[in-house]
Amino acid sequence: MRRRDRAGADAPADDARRGLSRRQLLLGGAVAGAGAAAAIGADAVARVATAAPAAPAELLHGDAVVPFHGAHQAAFTIPPQAHATMVALDLLPETDAEGLRRLLRILSDDASRLTQGEAALADSEPELALVPARLTATIGLGPAAVALAGAAVPTWLAPLPAFAIDALEDAWSGGDLLLEVAGDDPLTVAHAQRMLLKGTRSFARIRWVQSGFRRSHGAEAQGTTMRNLFGQVDGTVNPQPGDADFDGLVFIRDGWLAGGTSLVVRRIRMDLDTWDRLDRPGREQSVGRTLANGAPLTGTREHDEPDFAALTPIGFPVIPEFSHMRRARSDDPSQRFHRRAFNYDERPAGASVSESGMLFTAAQADPLAQFVPIQQRLSDLDLLNEWTTPIGSAVFAIPPGCEEGGFVGETLFG
Amino acid sequence: MRRRDRAGADAPADDARRGLSRRQLLLGGAVAGAGAAAAIGADAVARVATAAPAAPAELLHGDAVVPFHGAHQAAFTIPPQAHATMVALDLLPETDAEGLRRLLRILSDDASRLTQGEAALADSEPELALVPARLTATIGLGPAAVALAGAAVPTWLAPLPAFAIDALEDAWSGGDLLLEVAGDDPLTVAHAQRMLLKGTRSFARIRWVQSGFRRSHGAEAQGTTMRNLFGQVDGTVNPQPGDADFDGLVFIRDGWLAGGTSLVVRRIRMDLDTWDRLDRPGREQSVGRTLANGAPLTGTREHDEPDFAALTPIGFPVIPEFSHMRRARSDDPSQRFHRRAFNYDERPAGASVSESGMLFTAAQADPLAQFVPIQQRLSDLDLLNEWTTPIGSAVFAIPPGCEEGGFVGETLFG
Ligand code: HEM
Ligand code: HEM
């Protein structure tokens, strides 16, 4: 990740208010550079100059840029942002393979600009593009789009097998195309989403839109695992970009999807009203971890290894057999995937004071080999099922990233 | 505003991960303190120690606390936060004056804790309360609640007069009580909203919920005026807490509302699809300011004084007569109010790619004398009306703040 050189862009003229040009601020020396890296995310700041002007650097996370071009689509190379909107689209009947190719080109072109803090080509509100805040725009394809292009449709690119726990609603399921817009600023995400959707109007119509959030940028110490709306520390055991086994688990090796991945999107309602009635030990046992800091019930720190053999004085496992953590963990280390979850909290209906849940996503090279066995285990038995219900489900092929001049999805066309 | 001493609270035990206790970090010396003030908002950080440990301060906006107690409810004493949810409630038929008093006590008690980064008394997810991020919880009263308590109902505490531009929907209008939860972190806001609403269940039911956002905390330089979804710089000419005339314009002087204010809440749909078809000069003329930096069309910088007498070479006013800025400005300086607006961006329906607008609020001592004349002028003539439609409207009495041991609304009961 690097910081945007705002002085080089079509920036607002009100520089006096900012004191110095952003460029000067960004080149504020190595110390400032280190601060910037700490302030904006896991990755280093690329621009660290050796010259050291007197002014202290003003570090704005709004300026942080995630490169659009590369081997993989960018969202799978960074820690998740604070806000995400996922839009599923259905292709119009009149859209043919050439239309799809044009659509993917337009989306890639707009995304390559917007994510870099630049206006899209036909941007109607160019000023709203100037605060990238780690914006990423991810493009995914459903089976109909892949077939339309004449490419091989992977076996896994289909609705997941039905699970007993599912109560899926059409309104949150399926889709020919996925557009995921994520960033640390909600205004930027809203603008980018709209600009990207404008480009799709002649080719596709919206099927569903789902938005979610995590902690705001900089609210907590870097590396703090997010909490979900149950109050649980969520994401502790999760292969992360940069981990030794991440690429092998997540990225596809062969064919037109080489360098790409698959994305399972599940909308999971969390019944906070009934969850509230469960006592604290019950809640902790349902997952196998403490609420205070997410430590396994056999440990004291979040990242302690759980001891599944430990027994209570009266002989029960300390981490219950049917706890979510235990059920979600397979003996087979290949049955893992990269989770990115966003909380949702909608207008409550009726007597409820909440309509909440999780926009759960899992990325893996092969959903049938990695995700489905775990989801099946959880569907069979998982204490958490009492308070959670999958109400939406979709699977998308995520093409690899592209280089400058190319477009996401180009490998589809052979 | 001050920073929360997280080490003194029931903090997660995972301190090693954070390196040092938060307390040590917060007491990192005067330089760090100055940085903190810059990082978290307009106000100074209260805790700046003289001792200077070696570790650099880690400044997290999640720790920033706005005092709950005081002469005014806190939201009217600080720059607006990044996220806000407004909930209107209707009292249940069985709720009597004593019930209302109990409800207000419970809400104040919960709010006094949650805003300070502490769990509410019956908090079911206490860990979600530990990141206050400038949380405020504001309580407002509709006419029915004031009458129920037996207090004087101000003349202005009623639906606004009907304006020709209005297309009000019941779903976004009216209400016996208002709860506004605002903060810089969306997870904190969601949690606080739910905890506060739980306390209302036996007394009231939800009438409407509206959420909105501004720029995320720290994305832009401090003091940057927000942009709305039209891309306009919005909020340039607006009395701010701390301005010499603010208290006189906003706070009520006499009666049970002394120290309180009134809040007009308008939901205004912005038609981005048709706005996009207008050219840039047309957009700038509709407001009378540039899109690049919000400068008046007769100036170059945002805060330049507009020159309403300036004419174009062919004799037209440079700032059109019917521009929003010109119409929204009265010759009578008492016809002003404090605006706080939050963008909303909902799931689009049909062929539209957006369902967007502004959750507009205006605070003033007397809506009939200050707000209504301006809204009437705008309704009569305002170029912006072409693309904006008020679809919701409500007026609430905002009681003064309370001291420790008291509760918001106590003055209602004589
Ligand atoms: C709303 C629904 C869900 C909630 C509230 C939830 C919550 C949690 C929590 C609190 C943990 C422990 C901390 C951690 O390691 O992240 C966890 C772990 C995990 N969850 Fe979930 N989860 C949900 C759904 C799912 C689903 C649908 C799957 C996959 C099918 C899944 C897979 C996992 C995995 C693989 C782990 C790590 C297990 C290990 O320790 O090896 N979760 N989840
Ligand atoms: C979606 C609807 C609206 C939009 C997009 C909008 C936009 C703007 C913009 C861009 C400005 C210029 C910058 C500034 O000084 O803030 C402005 C100024 C202003 N607006 Fe609005 N506005 C809207 C609704 C309203 C309403 C309903 C009122 C009050 C009834 C209002 C009252 C004002 C006032 C008092 C000013 C300052 C005028 C001055 O320069 O003295 N606006 N608005």
Side-chain angles (χ1 to χ4, degrees):
Chain A
M1 187 165 46
R2 61 177 180 79
R3 310 211 121 229
R4 209 173 140 256
D5 175 6
R6 196 193 281 240
D10 182 20
D14 213 0
D15 274 347
R17 182 139 192 187
R18 299 177 184 272
L20 281 167
S21 85
R22 194 59 47 90
R23 170 168 223 123
Q24 284 172 280
L25 293 172
L26 285 177
L27 301 180
V31 173
I40 64 179
D43 305 298
V45 171
R47 291 168 189 268
V48 175
T50 43
E58 188 190 21
L59 299 163
L60 301 170
H61 77 81
D63 289 333
V65 159
V66 180
F68 178 73
H69 296 109
H72 315 296
Q73 290 198 61
F76 303 98
T77 66
I78 58 161
Q81 301 100 323
H83 300 274
T85 301
M86 306 203 192
V87 184
L89 298 149
D90 284 333
L91 294 169
L92 298 177
E94 59 269 30
T95 302
D96 58 9
E98 186 45 36
L100 177 62
R101 182 207 286 265
R102 269 179 32 232
L103 170 57
L104 293 170
R105 245 203 196 290
I106 294 170
L107 285 176
S108 294
D109 184 72
D110 286 347
S112 72
R113 293 170 202 266
L114 290 164
T115 57
Q116 306 310 295
E118 291 155 26
L121 263 193
D123 206 317
S124 37
E125 283 77 36
E127 284 82 8
L128 293 184
L130 301 178
V131 181
R134 295 204 305 147
L135 185 72
T136 57
T138 308
I139 297 167
L141 303 163
V146 176
L148 181 65
V153 180
T155 327
W156 50 257
L157 189 55
L160 293 178
F163 299 102
I165 50 170
D166 287 356
L168 303 185
E169 298 168 19
D170 262 3
W172 309 116
S173 300
D176 294 342
L177 284 175
L178 173 75
L179 199 59
E180 185 200 283
V181 183
D184 285 328
D185 185 90
L187 186 54
T188 300
V189 169
H191 172 70
Q193 176 192 340
R194 197 165 79 86
M195 285 309 119
L196 289 162
L197 284 180
K198 279 173 74 168
T200 68
R201 254 197 266 217
S202 329
F203 306 97
R205 74 168 126 37
I206 294 174
R207 184 183 175 98
W208 50 253
V209 181
Q210 304 189 48
S211 295
F213 56 85
R214 301 166 62 96
R215 282 276 181 225
S216 55
H217 181 92
E220 291 193 303
Q222 230 206 311
T224 304
T225 309
M226 91 151 181
R227 288 183 186 264
N228 62 36
L229 287 163
F230 279 165
Q232 302 161 332
V233 176
D234 191 343
T236 304
V237 177
N238 189 19
Q240 304 284 343
D243 287 357
D245 50 3
F246 184 84
D247 286 12
L249 286 168
V250 171
F251 296 123
I252 294 170
R253 267 159 300 267
D254 308 305
W256 68 269
L257 275 166
T261 183
S262 69
L263 195 70
V264 172
V265 179
R266 305 273 287 175
R267 186 175 184 85
I268 308 177
R269 177 178 289 150
M270 292 162 56
D271 190 336
L272 301 186
D273 292 353
T274 56
W275 174 255
D276 279 359
R277 291 188 213 128
L278 182 65
D279 63 9
R280 212 166 151 93
R283 293 177 195 203
E284 298 190 324
Q285 282 157 13
S286 72
V287 167
R289 293 184 172 272
T290 70
L291 285 164
N293 65 356
L297 294 179
T298 54
T300 56
R301 290 168 179 281
E302 183 189 350
H303 292 278
D304 286 351
E305 262 311 308
D307 175 0
F308 292 113
L311 298 178
T312 63
I314 52 166
F316 289 109
V318 177
I319 299 174
E321 293 282 3
F322 306 149
S323 64
H324 179 70
M325 167 172 64
R326 201 152 179 163
R327 296 291 299 171
R329 184 177 292 208
S330 168
D331 291 338
D332 179 349
S334 77
Q335 291 182 350
R336 288 181 302 142
F337 38 83
H338 174 56
R339 291 179 284 141
R340 273 185 322 148
F342 298 89
N343 303 303
Y344 73 78
D345 186 47
E346 314 254 320
R347 255 191 292 284
S352 171
V353 294
S354 56
E355 169 59 41
S356 309
M358 199 181 273
L359 189 48
F360 173 99
T361 74
Q364 56 280 306
D366 182 349
L368 297 180
Q370 295 168 263
F371 179 82
V372 168
I374 302 297
Q375 180 65 86
Q376 186 61 59
R377 279 169 64 91
L378 294 175
S379 178
D380 293 344
L381 253 184
D382 172 5
L383 290 172
L384 263 195
N385 290 343
E386 185 76 22
W387 305 278
T388 60
T389 312
I391 58 172
S393 185
V395 182
F396 297 98
I398 307 293
C402 65
E403 295 307 319
E404 226 167 312
F407 64 97
V408 171
E410 60 196 357
T411 56
L412 259 182
F413 301 92
Chain B
M1 187 163 49
R2 62 177 178 78
R3 310 211 119 226
R4 207 172 142 258
D5 174 7
R6 196 193 280 240
D10 183 20
D14 212 359
D15 274 348
R17 180 139 195 189
R18 297 176 185 271
L20 281 169
S21 84
R22 193 60 49 90
R23 168 167 225 125
Q24 284 173 281
L25 293 171
L26 286 176
L27 302 180
V31 172
I40 65 180
D43 304 297
V45 170
R47 289 168 190 271
V48 175
T50 44
E58 188 190 22
L59 299 163
L60 301 169
H61 77 82
D63 288 334
V65 159
V66 181
F68 178 74
H69 296 109
H72 315 295
Q73 289 198 62
F76 303 97
T77 65
I78 58 162
Q81 300 99 322
H83 301 273
T85 300
M86 306 202 192
V87 184
L89 297 149
D90 283 334
L91 293 169
L92 297 178
E94 59 269 30
T95 302
D96 58 10
E98 186 45 35
L100 176 62
R101 182 207 286 264
R102 270 181 29 235
L103 170 57
L104 293 171
R105 242 200 199 291
I106 294 170
L107 285 175
S108 295
D109 184 71
D110 285 346
S112 72
R113 293 170 203 265
L114 289 164
T115 56
Q116 306 310 294
E118 290 156 28
L121 263 194
D123 205 318
S124 37
E125 284 77 37
E127 283 81 8
L128 293 184
L130 300 178
V131 180
R134 295 204 305 148
L135 185 72
T136 57
T138 309
I139 297 167
L141 304 163
V146 176
L148 181 66
V153 181
T155 329
W156 50 257
L157 190 54
L160 294 177
F163 299 104
I165 50 170
D166 287 355
L168 303 185
E169 298 169 18
D170 261 2
W172 309 117
S173 300
D176 295 342
L177 284 175
L178 173 74
L179 199 58
E180 184 201 282
V181 184
D184 285 329
D185 185 89
L187 185 55
T188 301
V189 169
H191 171 71
Q193 177 193 338
R194 197 165 79 86
M195 285 309 119
L196 290 161
L197 284 179
K198 280 173 74 168
T200 68
R201 254 198 265 219
S202 329
F203 306 98
R205 72 169 127 37
I206 294 174
R207 185 184 174 98
W208 49 252
V209 181
Q210 305 189 48
S211 295
F213 56 85
R214 302 166 61 97
R215 282 275 181 225
S216 56
H217 181 93
E220 292 192 304
Q222 230 203 310
T224 305
T225 309
M226 89 149 184
R227 287 183 186 264
N228 61 36
L229 287 163
F230 280 165
Q232 302 161 332
V233 176
D234 191 343
T236 304
V237 177
N238 190 19
Q240 305 285 343
D243 287 358
D245 49 3
F246 184 84
D247 286 12
L249 286 169
V250 171
F251 296 122
I252 294 170
R253 266 159 301 269
D254 308 305
W256 68 270
L257 275 166
T261 183
S262 69
L263 195 70
V264 172
V265 179
R266 305 272 288 175
R267 186 176 184 85
I268 308 177
R269 177 178 289 149
M270 292 162 55
D271 190 336
L272 301 187
D273 292 352
T274 56
W275 175 255
D276 279 358
R277 291 188 212 128
L278 183 65
D279 63 10
R280 213 166 152 93
R283 295 178 194 203
E284 298 190 325
Q285 281 158 15
S286 72
V287 168
R289 293 184 173 270
T290 70
L291 285 165
N293 66 356
L297 294 179
T298 53
T300 57
R301 292 170 177 278
E302 183 188 350
H303 292 279
D304 285 351
E305 262 312 309
D307 175 359
F308 292 113
L311 299 178
T312 63
I314 53 168
F316 289 109
V318 176
I319 298 174
E321 294 281 4
F322 305 149
S323 65
H324 179 70
M325 167 171 66
R326 200 152 180 162
R327 296 292 297 171
R329 184 176 292 208
S330 167
D331 290 338
D332 178 348
S334 77
Q335 291 181 350
R336 290 181 302 142
F337 37 85
H338 173 57
R339 292 179 284 143
R340 272 185 323 148
F342 298 89
N343 303 303
Y344 73 78
D345 186 47
E346 313 254 322
R347 255 190 292 285
S352 170
V353 294
S354 56
E355 169 58 42
S356 310
M358 198 180 275
L359 188 48
F360 174 98
T361 74
Q364 56 280 306
D366 183 348
L368 296 180
Q370 295 168 262
F371 178 83
V372 168
I374 302 296
Q375 180 65 86
Q376 186 61 58
R377 278 170 63 92
L378 293 176
S379 177
D380 293 344
L381 253 184
D382 171 5
L383 291 173
L384 262 195
N385 289 344
E386 185 75 22
W387 305 275
T388 61
T389 313
I391 59 172
S393 186
V395 182
F396 297 98
I398 307 292
C402 65
E403 295 308 320
E404 223 164 317
F407 64 96
V408 170
E410 59 196 356
T411 56
L412 260 182
F413 302 92

